[in-house]
Amino acid sequence: MRVLLSTIGSRGEVQPVVALASELRALGQDVRVCVPPDFREWLDDLGFDVVPIGPELRRFGSASRVRPSAEELRKSAEDTVSTQFETVTVAAEGCDVVVAAGALQFAARSVAERAGAGYVYASFCPITLPSDRHAPPPMPWRSPGTTDNRALWQEDAHRWNQLFGGRVNACRAANGLAPVDDLQSHVFGGRPWLAADAALAPWPDQDDPDVIRTGAWIWPDERPLPPDLVEFLDTGEPPLYFGFGSMHAPAEVAEVMLASARAHGRRAIIARGWADLAAADGHPDCFGIGEINQQQLFKHVAAVVHHGGAGTTTTAAGAGAPQVVVPQMYDQHYFASRVRDLGIGAATEPGVPTAEALTAALEVALRPEVAARARAFAAKVRPDGASVAARHLLATAPLTSA
């Protein structure tokens, strides 16, 4: 069987896709991946058939970027849909099943439908799938004062149709397909998958047969830590890790991070990330790193301070590290709440943190009882979600797009 795995997100979306691709390949399946060009070299090195989609994500967005106008948003939405139809159509050639993972997957189901292939949509966070038991992720268009979950999901569905539906239906018509009335339901399909850890990010209705819960897709990272980082770790008490991943934080955030670590008498490891944070230079109590094996590193730090992406939150939870989540957007607010509610860390207010706010949150995360809960919780995080998903895919293929 040939499977196309498609995502257009950052590493937090791509790495789980790599986990599923690896499991499928180990089971003898032919796998192709469609991902942003930022990750092509990495996946080429892993031996996967890669089709890049769109421009590099890293060069988009910054803390100082002017908010786009309505016309710019409309054009960006239409261009995104057109690019997906063009690229995913090529990537899906000869494939039996298309798996669309993560947000903004507007073309994959239509491409699968036209090709007669099976289709699966997979989410990495429960609140990105509709349910009367939770609200959708925060978005700029929210109606003030609306608290009814069903009304909020209806508002989201309307915005999807408004922003993306016209171009989706134009592309469907060009491919001989009938229009869709509800784009959101069309993308999610009848039985979406939730690729999130059941303990960390559970589906709110445990008896719901319409959401397939596979567990988080965790790629087993076997890369060793760099020798100079190992030396830094070995020369004192466990440091604090700070990283915002693909978020474009202002450069001064690195100094804020270092100040909060020093307030607790701790050393700091600062991940440069896509913001190119560089405060580590010249500070003996601070170590700057690039892309690295977080699964290994997080076992050796006193706490993990991060933006709250699904991948980083799950990795820190699995490593037993206390967390401080500084949410910026979308599902990160959910993971901030989960870390706080589970008692395995703390969270700050959304946006760019102050040194005072980070220092206060770290005071909570570094408490012995929080560290103990984080270590105990690690045993609940299952590492086999990608294997479960791969075997389920094979057992139910060929899948319909219903």
Side-chain angles (χ1 to χ4, degrees):
M1 182 172 71
R2 174 173 290 181
V3 182
L4 173 66
L5 306 180
S6 173
T7 189
I8 58 172
S10 61
R11 192 177 180 103
E13 288 75 42
V14 174
Q15 189 154 313
V17 164
V18 172
L20 179 57
S22 299
E23 291 290 340
L24 287 168
R25 185 168 64 179
L27 293 171
Q29 308 308 305
D30 185 3
V31 183
R32 181 178 294 154
V33 289
C34 185
V35 298
D38 311 66
F39 308 99
R40 178 165 191 168
E41 183 178 354
W42 173 40
L43 270 67
D44 280 342
D45 289 343
L46 293 175
F48 288 110
D49 180 5
V50 182
V51 177
I53 183 168
E56 289 189 352
L57 295 179
R58 182 164 184 151
R59 59 193 183 130
F60 283 90
S62 80
S64 61
R65 187 175 179 182
V66 176
R67 184 170 179 152
S69 66
E71 176 59 24
E72 289 172 329
L73 282 174
R74 182 196 63 77
K75 186 177 186 307
S76 176
E78 291 183 351
D79 289 348
T80 293
V81 171
S82 296
T83 297
Q84 288 185 38
F85 268 90
E86 293 167 5
T87 307
V88 177
T89 296
V90 173
E93 184 177 350
C95 290
D96 303 293
V97 179
V98 176
V99 179
L104 305 177
Q105 294 282 333
F106 302 118
R109 184 173 179 182
S110 297
V111 171
E113 182 181 344
R114 184 174 183 271
Y119 172 77
V120 172
Y121 176 79
S123 166
F124 300 124
C125 177
I127 66 163
T128 65
L129 293 175
S131 171
D132 290 347
R133 300 195 182 193
H134 58 229
M139 295 298 285
W141 58 64
R142 287 283 172 265
S143 297
T146 304
T147 58
D148 179 74
N149 292 336
R150 183 172 297 181
L152 290 169
W153 280 108
Q154 289 173 345
E155 182 180 38
D156 263 25
H158 172 72
R159 290 291 185 171
W160 278 48
N161 288 337
Q162 189 178 55
L163 283 171
F164 306 104
R167 181 55 62 94
V168 167
N169 280 333
C171 291
R172 284 178 61 84
N175 285 276
L177 301 173
V180 295
D181 296 327
D182 183 349
L183 179 59
Q184 189 177 79
S185 295
H186 167 77
V187 168
F188 293 152
R191 301 195 75 194
W193 291 9
L194 176 58
D197 184 75
L200 178 64
W203 185 244
D205 183 357
Q206 293 301 304
D207 297 323
D208 184 356
D210 293 327
V211 175
I212 306 300
R213 284 145 279 178
T214 66
W217 301 348
I218 300 173
W219 179 62
D221 196 340
E222 298 177 351
R223 295 172 297 168
L225 297 177
D228 53 349
L229 175 57
V230 173
E231 182 180 356
F232 180 80
L233 291 169
D234 289 343
T235 55
E237 291 186 354
L240 302 173
Y241 168 92
F242 297 88
F244 275 11
S246 61
M247 296 292 99
H248 288 267
E252 58 267 24
V253 166
E255 294 295 341
V256 168
M257 294 170 171
L258 187 53
S260 67
R262 286 173 172 167
H264 288 280
R266 295 277 183 170
R267 299 177 301 153
I269 295 174
I270 296 182
R272 298 183 184 93
W274 286 9
D276 288 325
L277 301 177
D281 298 341
H283 295 298
D285 60 347
C286 187
F287 195 96
I289 59 173
E291 208 290 309
I292 206 163
N293 184 344
Q294 291 183 338
Q295 295 170 16
Q296 192 61 237
L297 175 59
F298 289 176
K299 296 176 183 178
H300 302 285
V301 299
V304 175
V305 182
H306 62 100
H307 59 297
T312 307
T313 309
T314 304
T315 300
Q323 305 183 48
V324 171
V325 180
V326 186
Q328 305 296 301
M329 58 183 290
Y330 200 54
D331 59 349
Q332 297 165 12
H333 305 284
Y334 168 83
F335 285 107
S337 296
R338 286 297 293 163
V339 165
R340 185 174 53 239
D341 294 346
L342 289 166
I344 59 174
T348 70
E349 291 297 314
V352 179
T354 64
E356 292 76 16
L358 273 187
T359 300
L362 280 166
E363 193 280 326
V364 174
L366 292 172
R367 291 172 183 169
E369 63 271 22
V370 174
R373 278 196 294 270
R375 287 192 298 270
F377 187 81
K380 301 179 181 180
V381 178
R382 295 187 58 115
D384 62 345
S387 176
V388 170
R391 295 181 185 279
H392 183 77
L393 186 67
L394 296 184
T396 55
L399 303 171
T400 69
S401 295

